[in-house]
Amino acid sequence: MSIERIESTERMSRIVKHNGTVYLCGQTAGEAQWDIQEQTQKCLDKIEDLLAKAGSSKEQLLSVTIYIRDMKDFAAMNQVWDAWVKDCEKPARACVEARMARPEILVELSVTAAY
């Protein structure tokens, strides 16, 4: 059972594949001018791209953890999320309020999927 690391830096790998499972690093948008919905959509777009590079897709999601800077944005974030997962099987999901690495980050998603 080998481990494949894709798009690695000194600090992390954006994608790690092992034993039929794909792990993505946390995805953020981080654009200060974007609201929670725009940032959520950008994160989801990035996730789709990374899953494709790993030979997976959103239809193969196993688990998603959503970190949100302020729970007042929960409903607006969910509008984007719900539209994104509308036509596929839903993964296990958790959403927690968290302090972000930079103040402009409103949301971060961490994903595990099958491939």
Side-chain angles (χ1 to χ4, degrees):
M1 288 188 270
S2 65
I3 299 172
E4 181 181 358
R5 299 173 198 284
I6 302 168
E7 296 187 20
S8 296
T9 68
E10 311 77 47
R11 181 169 290 157
M12 66 180 190
S13 297
R14 293 189 72 202
I15 303 166
V16 176
K17 295 173 67 172
H18 173 67
N19 199 27
T21 305
V22 175
Y23 304 89
L24 301 184
C25 68
Q27 296 302 304
T28 64
E31 295 293 332
Q33 72 274 14
W34 290 352
D35 66 16
I36 188 69
Q37 290 188 320
E38 291 168 313
Q39 287 196 23
T40 301
Q41 187 61 59
K42 179 64 172 176
C43 291
L44 296 173
D45 292 345
K46 289 167 73 175
I47 287 167
E48 282 196 76
D49 289 344
L50 290 171
L51 288 172
K53 285 182 183 179
S56 186
S57 68
K58 71 180 180 179
E59 288 77 15
Q60 294 174 282
L61 288 173
L62 300 172
S63 177
V64 177
T65 302
I66 301 170
Y67 303 94
I68 190 168
R69 190 177 78 185
D70 192 327
M71 278 300 190
K72 73 175 176 48
D73 291 329
F74 184 70
M77 179 275 301
N78 271 327
Q79 287 179 338
V80 177
W81 170 266
D82 291 345
W84 190 68
V85 296
K86 180 181 175 190
D87 296 325
C88 62
E89 295 294 325
K90 310 321 180 256
R93 189 187 106 161
C95 183
V96 297
E97 187 173 69
R99 186 177 309 166
M100 300 300 187
R102 295 186 316 275
E104 67 271 16
I105 299 171
L106 304 178
V107 63
E108 180 171 347
L109 286 86
S110 181
V111 169
T112 304
Y115 71 92

